[in-house]
Amino acid sequence: MRVLGINALFHDPAAALVIDGHTVAAAEEERFTRRKHGKRPVPFSAWELPEKSASWCLRQAGLRPEDLDAVAYSFSPALARPAGEMGLDDPWDHLRLMYAEQAPRFLRTALPGLDPRIVKFVPHHMAHAASSALAAPDAEPSSVLVLDGRGEATSHLAGRRVGGHLEPLHGQRLPHSLGLVYEELTEHLGFLRSSDEYKVMALASYGTPRMLGELRKYVYATGDGGFHATGVPWTEFCSPIRPGEAWSQDHADLAASAQKCLEEILLDLVRWLHGQTGDRVLTMAGGVALNCVANSRIAREGPFDRVWVQPAAGDAGTALGGALYLAAEGGEHTEPMTGADLGRGWSDAELEAWLKTAAVPYERPADVAETVAEALADDAIVAWFQGRAEYGPRALGHRSLLAHPGRSGNLERLNDVKGREQFRPVAPMVLADRAAGIFDGPLPSPYMLFVHDVAPEWRERIPAVVHVDGTARIQTVDPATEPLVARMLGSFERLTGLPVVVNTSLNTAGRPMVDDPRDALECFGSAPVDLLAIGPFVVRRGVFFAGGRSEGADVGDGGGR
């Protein structure tokens, strides 16, 4: 069965392709259009489809639209109600419903040859649930928890997977929404709503939750698997941050209070869910599941033995979830995800052709991992472009910026390179078998979706990756699945004694993560990065701008030692 999944209605449009239960490809539209999050989540953009990512998914498998057995659209207009009836202030929401109803016809236009009759509407939160429960390894049976801003008429789903079947147990009706409350706070703190919620999480570490008691009057668990979350008078807590204004301690304290409040409610929800199912494994999806601080508290204090979070937990992941859902409903056995590297990739020959076309001076060293480790040991910042692009918001060793973690100034340096706020942390990657001696938290952690306490004896050794609260959001690297990254980490440890490297996404502020070779070259040329490692090739900044030759390599010939 060949199923194409489509997410389009709200934000982060994406496409995914599942064939015979196996995930073949998945990508977000932003990586093709270079527009952050693909589009803004307003009703007027609801008609926009992930045309480029959908077409690429089909090409990746050598399929045409007419070869598909089904298309999953991750929203069911039949379940929706008018915004006013749900207590939402969104007078143009009816446009979303109209566009969703017409999605089969729009898809026929976007993918010529597609039969619109094979387009199936999958409930939004069921698509989220399937993206997690049906993609997680060793998760049968398991419980599943979904929380985001909104779906058709709810903001939450608690359920269970048994075999290939998903059973919903509870859903919180709108307007109560933890995701929408967090979005409101994001906007109140001067950040971009439905985009910058992770900045609130980072800012929270600089505050104390002194406003928690008052906030609990508006946002709290109801004890029956649901919650109350609406009507927060944010201006009574502190003034909003206007453009150009700096945050104050009050703003950090409000962020800390909201973060603690969220964590408390999530713990109540997972305890209720475990009481219904008794399962050992919890899987999670929805935008709220990208809150790695809350995830860690669930893993540490919750009743489940293991917590697995979908790496594309936001709305982009519903493209994959919708496809997996239809495959499972069609009787297919769905296979777990083996990694997040589901996007575009290029052969060595194709990469070299890009470099030659760009007339870029480059080398092909004997071992790019060793060359990068040497550069990092010399305190270079390295752009790392390897293999297939990641699906989801985390750079996981395929489209990354790397740096030395032992130099405390590298946090400020990287934030300057990327044009980010200085209160934001960067993350460490570490070999899986070395992690337990340095970081205390859920292990393994291959998708950077939990925070870990850094052992006191290591905090001064790797200061660039230690957040103000003594934690780090780590990525563990398994040599079996990421041999090149593991080899680079091993070489860096041999040279420095540190088994950790700084890893942050390869992009600059306000732009999507680098995806294709042109993106990589443009980012390298515009940001103060010292070395570009692109496939087996390296480009050195000094040589790049001098227009000269690398030692031991002719310009554009791929030669070298």
Side-chain angles (χ1 to χ4, degrees):
M1 188 174 181
R2 293 157 293 194
V3 187
L4 180 69
I6 296 290
N7 172 62
L9 198 67
F10 294 112
H11 52 83
D12 295 301
L17 183 65
V18 172
I19 299 178
D20 298 333
H22 174 70
T23 302
V24 174
E28 292 149 273
E29 191 74 358
E30 67 166 21
R31 308 296 173 87
F32 297 80
T33 64
R34 311 309 301 158
R35 184 182 178 190
K36 188 74 169 175
H37 296 296
K39 61 182 180 180
R40 292 298 298 151
V42 295
F44 304 98
S45 71
W47 64 271
E48 296 181 40
L49 294 168
E51 298 182 28
K52 294 181 182 296
S53 51
S55 296
W56 171 78
C57 284
L58 294 177
R59 291 197 304 272
Q60 180 72 8
L63 298 179
R64 300 169 300 173
E66 52 263 43
D67 297 325
L68 291 168
D69 296 302
V71 175
Y73 185 85
S74 61
F75 186 90
S76 178
L79 300 177
R81 293 186 295 137
E85 290 184 15
M86 296 187 291
L88 299 177
D89 182 16
D90 194 347
W92 294 99
D93 192 55
H94 62 278
L95 286 180
R96 285 197 182 96
L97 300 186
M98 181 184 71
Y99 290 141
E101 290 166 351
Q102 298 301 319
R105 296 173 60 187
F106 289 156
L107 283 163
R108 179 179 60 184
T109 301
L111 300 171
L114 178 72
D115 183 350
R117 293 173 296 181
I118 70 170
V119 178
K120 308 298 181 184
F121 295 113
V122 177
H124 187 71
H125 288 131
M126 290 298 281
H128 269 307
S131 78
S132 186
L134 297 181
D138 303 317
E140 185 184 336
S142 60
S143 300
V144 59
L145 183 68
V146 173
L147 292 128
D148 63 1
R150 60 164 294 194
E152 293 86 357
T154 61
S155 67
H156 149 266
L157 180 146
R160 192 179 192 216
R161 172 195 175 177
V162 178
H165 179 66
L166 291 173
E167 177 189 0
L169 299 175
H170 188 61
Q172 177 59 57
R173 307 290 291 185
L174 292 166
H176 301 285
S177 170
L178 294 173
L180 291 181
V181 164
Y182 215 86
E183 286 182 18
E184 291 171 3
L185 175 60
T186 300
E187 187 172 45
H188 187 75
L189 294 177
F191 305 125
L192 182 61
R193 182 173 180 157
S194 298
S195 175
D196 293 347
E197 282 69 27
Y198 54 90
K199 297 181 183 181
V200 177
M201 184 178 65
L203 183 61
S205 297
Y206 289 82
T208 58
R210 61 181 179 83
M211 305 174 188
L212 179 57
E214 188 67 20
L215 190 58
R216 287 184 182 134
K217 296 178 181 179
Y218 306 96
V219 186
Y220 53 86
T222 51
D224 58 357
F227 48 86
H228 181 283
T230 188
V232 182
W234 297 109
T235 55
E236 293 182 13
F237 289 90
C238 65
S239 62
I241 298 178
R242 306 299 183 189
E245 291 181 351
W247 58 272
S248 68
Q249 191 58 52
D250 284 345
H251 296 111
D253 290 348
L254 179 57
S257 301
Q259 177 65 34
K260 289 296 182 186
C261 189
L262 174 68
E263 294 166 18
E264 289 180 350
I265 296 172
L266 293 182
L267 279 170
D268 186 274
L269 295 180
V270 299
R271 287 166 180 154
W272 179 90
L273 179 56
H274 185 265
Q276 304 299 307
T277 68
D279 291 326
R280 295 180 57 253
V281 178
L282 172 68
T283 69
M284 296 176 61
V288 175
L290 292 172
N291 192 303
C292 55
V293 176
N295 294 346
S296 296
R297 193 165 174 195
I298 290 170
R300 184 174 64 251
E301 301 178 32
F304 291 93
D305 295 340
R306 182 164 68 91
V307 179
W308 190 88
V309 183
Q310 165 59 246
D315 272 9
T318 64
L320 174 59
L324 290 172
Y325 180 84
L326 289 188
E329 290 292 298
E332 300 273 8
H333 171 72
T334 56
E335 299 177 17
M337 287 178 64
T338 57
D341 51 334
L342 297 169
R344 289 189 290 178
W346 285 264
S347 68
D348 293 351
E350 290 170 328
L351 292 174
E352 188 166 24
W354 274 91
L355 294 170
K356 287 182 175 179
T357 298
V360 172
Y362 64 94
E363 310 166 36
R364 183 167 187 162
D367 184 359
V368 70
E370 180 71 23
T371 297
V372 166
E374 291 171 354
L376 292 170
D378 288 337
D379 205 24
I381 292 178
V382 176
W384 177 265
F385 183 104
Q386 304 292 338
R388 293 178 66 175
E390 298 94 340
Y391 180 48
R394 307 286 192 241
L396 301 168
H398 294 255
R399 304 291 186 270
S400 294
L401 276 174
L402 309 177
H404 195 308
R407 313 289 169 80
S408 59
N410 278 344
L411 171 58
E412 181 178 353
R413 187 179 171 201
L414 281 167
N415 280 333
D416 284 342
V417 166
K418 291 168 65 73
R420 307 193 320 173
E421 299 88 349
Q422 287 298 339
F423 65 81
R424 293 173 56 187
V426 291
M429 54 167 50
V430 59
L431 285 171
D433 62 359
R434 300 285 279 115
I438 307 170
F439 305 103
D440 180 22
L443 294 173
S445 183
Y447 299 130
M448 209 182 286
L449 285 165
F450 299 91
V451 296
H452 297 66
D453 291 322
V454 182
E457 64 271 22
W458 278 94
R459 292 178 186 178
E460 292 186 0
R461 297 187 65 187
I462 53 173
V465 297
V466 182
H467 197 31
V468 66
D469 58 1
T471 66
R473 187 186 68 199
I474 78 169
Q475 177 199 355
T476 55
V477 176
D478 183 348
T481 55
E482 296 287 353
L484 182 64
V485 178
R487 197 163 72 246
M488 179 271 295
L489 286 168
S491 295
F492 183 76
E493 182 176 13
R494 190 185 71 252
L495 293 168
T496 66
L498 301 176
V500 172
V501 165
V502 176
N503 171 30
T504 188
S505 56
L506 182 52
N507 67 320
T508 52
R511 297 185 180 185
M513 208 182 307
V514 158
D515 195 78
D516 73 11
R518 182 188 300 275
D519 305 332
L521 288 166
E522 289 178 350
C523 186
F524 179 72
S526 63
V529 176
D530 301 299
L531 186 79
L532 169 64
I534 180 167
F537 310 104
V538 298
V539 181
R540 300 182 187 274
R541 186 170 189 80
V543 179
F544 179 86
F545 281 99
R549 297 186 174 190
S550 282
E551 182 182 350
D554 292 334
V555 175
D557 73 353
R561 294 180 289 277

